[in-house]
Amino acid sequence: MIADLSADEEKILNDVKIRLAKYGKERGQLIPILQMIQDKLAYLPHITMEMVAQHLDIPPSEVFGVATFYNQFRFNPPGRNPVKVCLGTACHVRGGDIILENFERKLEIKEGETTSDKEFSIERVACVGCCALAPVTLIGETVHGNMAPSKVEGLVMRVQIEKEMKEREKQKNESGQ
Amino acid sequence: MLTLTVDGKEIQAKKGTTLLKACLDNDIYIPNLCYIDGIEETAASCRLCFVEIEGEEKPVTSCTVPVKASLKVKTDTPAVRRLQKTALRLLLSVHHVDCKNCPANKKCALQDMAKFLKVGLKPGHLQHCLKEPEIDTSHPCLDYYTNRCVLCGKCIQVCLTHNGQPEITFARRGFNTVVSFFGTAKNEKDSCDECIRCVDICPVGALVLKSSP
């Protein structure tokens, strides 16, 4: 869970520190503060929760308890291609959990985690608003409807191939210039 | 002193105590897990200490009822026993029953209650669901066994009362709820080593010292 922060993240962290000072010290501020941090950093690193605890003068364990209670907070940085598997009512009925399981197995991570190359992360979401296409999965911003377990591997491969193609093109451009 | 009737027996209790404490002090056993003697705010989360009180429509948790004079209480009606048995079965359905290898064997609150309520330790018709991972070793001197824990919250409560700031807390939600040690810095090792009140109060051996097997 304790991830090393990148240089960019350090910068944002300093910004977060300044913003933190503007919040009141009431306990009720805890969730708005956590939301602000997640908004800036896209996740809640270990160290920020300790910062918040210090600011509000409550035990760090309490901050952690509250943050883990809510699905909206995540503790791993999202991957470049966040996989969001819908488990809303329609998708659940059409076997969304099997799709989730397939992604977990294919990418060898659990829900809420990120692959070691930071390429993929898996999240479960509740309804993305196109139940007619159930079961639905989002990869990045792209909606993939009528998902089937057999499509999982293909989708992951497609993302990887697209990435490789982009890299090749980039190399071509650079060598051409 | 107040006089109340429990199971047809008259008992004396001090004003201000709870019904559960009054019964336990008078050798009337009521199954319970989350009640701590001496701490006023009870979590009332284990749903085991039900009793029937004359005049009340449904069974009530005895740990939340202050004693009153001429209270007529029954602790072993069919409705009460049914609630208690169900609660215990549900607890056992998420419990890793491996008494032989458990340090709490023979002094375990679950074993005592199962014997008292005549409930088998195996889950029976309920689905057995266990959490992963089995052990949390992140604390410098304590080990936490996820599937032994009954989530009574006693450890958190004693840590709060004795240290002011609890080092341990409930994390996550629903079936995934665990007790976690977030923010326990390495220099807490010494203070935790000396205190271990949480280990002492744990009714099921979910929190154990690292050195013990």
Side-chain angles (χ1 to χ4, degrees), chain B:
Chain B
M1 285 303 233
L2 300 164
T3 312
L4 49 150
T5 325
V6 180
D7 294 338
K9 205 172 101 184
E10 286 205 344
I11 62 165
Q12 301 269 315
K14 238 196 274 172
K15 205 180 167 195
T17 54
T18 62
L19 185 53
L20 178 63
K21 184 168 162 50
C23 289
L24 293 176
D25 286 349
N26 284 282
D27 290 327
I28 298 165
Y29 178 63
I30 298 173
N32 68 86
L33 273 177
C34 66
Y35 168 76
I36 311 172
D37 199 0
I39 289 179
E40 282 191 8
E41 288 165 40
T42 62
S45 60
C46 69
R47 318 311 289 171
L48 280 159
C49 65
F50 282 107
V51 292
E52 261 185 55
I53 298 175
E54 207 178 84
E56 302 249 0
E57 207 179 311
K58 288 173 183 167
V60 290
T61 47
S62 59
C63 66
T64 54
V65 179
V67 284
K68 272 178 260 165
S70 65
L71 217 52
K72 285 203 177 69
V73 182
K74 276 185 182 160
T75 67
D76 60 351
T77 63
V80 165
R81 287 291 181 251
R82 203 172 146 228
L83 280 167
Q84 289 170 335
K85 279 184 187 176
T86 310
L88 181 60
R89 282 194 189 112
L90 285 168
L91 279 173
L92 286 167
S93 76
V94 292
H95 187 78
H96 183 202
V97 182
D98 184 20
C99 298
K100 264 188 209 160
N101 299 315
C102 178
N105 194 11
K106 301 217 168 89
K107 48 182 180 182
C108 169
L110 286 178
Q111 283 177 334
D112 294 347
M113 270 187 292
K115 207 170 158 193
F116 180 79
L117 295 170
K118 298 188 182 69
V119 170
L121 287 171
K122 294 280 175 232
H125 67 287
L126 293 171
Q127 194 187 352
H128 202 202
C129 46
L130 296 180
K131 294 174 219 169
E132 276 181 44
E134 172 83 25
I135 313 173
D136 176 1
T137 54
S138 60
H139 192 275
C141 54
L142 302 171
D143 274 348
Y144 170 69
Y145 286 76
T146 330
N147 291 319
R148 282 182 196 159
C149 184
V150 289
L151 300 172
C152 62
K154 276 185 185 175
C155 48
I156 298 169
Q157 196 53 248
V158 287
C159 197
L160 176 70
T161 22
H162 289 284
N163 302 327
Q165 284 213 341
E167 299 293 336
I168 40 184
T169 184
F170 284 129
R172 298 196 241 151
R173 187 182 52 188
F175 267 118
N176 299 319
T177 312
V178 288
V179 170
S180 114
F181 308 115
F182 180 86
T184 311
K186 290 280 176 283
N187 56 15
E188 295 295 335
K189 188 180 186 319
D190 298 329
S191 61
C192 276
D193 240 348
E194 276 165 28
C195 170
I196 64 156
R197 285 190 175 87
C198 52
V199 176
D200 291 337
I201 204 153
C202 184
V204 290
L207 276 171
V208 289
L209 276 175
K210 260 200 168 45
S211 51
S212 62

Side-chain angles (χ1 to χ4, degrees), chain A residues 34-54:
Chain A
L34 291 177
Q35 283 170 328
M36 179 273 288
I37 296 173
Q38 174 142 309
D39 204 36
K40 299 281 160 210
L41 280 166
Y43 74 111
L44 297 177
H46 206 280
I47 182 163
T48 56
M49 283 188 271
E50 274 166 18
M51 272 163 47
V52 175
Q54 215 172 14

Side-chain angles (χ1 to χ4, degrees), chain A:
Chain A
M1 202 167 65
I2 305 163
D4 289 323
L5 296 173
S6 65
D8 280 352
E9 284 177 327
E10 292 276 7
K11 221 186 266 170
I12 303 170
L13 205 63
N14 284 329
D15 179 42
V16 165
K17 268 182 207 159
I18 297 161
R19 282 166 186 273
L20 198 59
K22 289 182 193 152
Y23 283 84
K25 306 240 175 215
E26 311 86 58
R27 295 170 74 90
Q29 294 292 338
L30 175 54
I31 290 176
I33 290 174
L34 291 177
Q35 283 170 328
M36 179 273 288
I37 296 173
Q38 174 142 309
D39 204 36
K40 299 281 160 210
L41 280 166
Y43 74 111
L44 297 177
H46 206 280
I47 182 163
T48 56
M49 283 188 271
E50 274 166 18
M51 272 163 47
V52 175
Q54 215 172 14
H55 177 75
L56 295 177
D57 200 19
I58 54 175
S61 62
E62 201 173 320
V63 177
F64 183 67
V66 170
T68 50
F69 184 89
Y70 294 100
N71 275 350
Q72 60 173 305
F73 296 119
R74 50 180 308 143
F75 306 95
N76 290 307
R80 278 180 282 273
N81 301 290
V83 176
K84 290 178 190 150
V85 182
C86 180
L87 289 175
T89 313
C91 292
H92 169 77
V93 170
R94 300 290 308 263
D97 50 338
I98 302 172
I99 306 293
L100 176 66
E101 215 181 286
N102 270 280
F103 271 110
E104 285 180 340
R105 206 175 312 144
K106 173 70 194 153
L107 298 171
E108 292 171 356
I109 50 170
K110 288 259 166 256
E111 171 226 331
E113 293 177 351
T114 307
T115 51
S116 51
D117 59 358
K118 301 254 163 77
E119 208 53 54
F120 293 96
S121 59
I122 303 177
E123 258 175 87
R124 57 200 290 177
V125 292
C127 200
V128 289
C130 47
C131 305
L133 302 175
V136 177
T137 298
L138 276 98
I139 300 184
E141 297 289 297
T142 327
V143 179
H144 298 276
N146 294 319
M147 277 298 290
S150 56
K151 289 188 185 172
V152 167
E153 187 149 2
L155 282 174
V156 172
M157 206 184 275
R158 190 156 106 192
V159 172
Q160 280 164 343
I161 291 174
E162 271 173 17
K163 189 191 158 204
E164 276 169 33
M165 268 168 64
K166 250 182 221 158
E167 268 170 23
R168 230 172 287 155
E169 220 156 277
K170 210 170 145 196
Q171 272 178 354
K172 222 186 203 171
N173 284 345
E174 274 168 12
S175 59
Q177 271 168 1

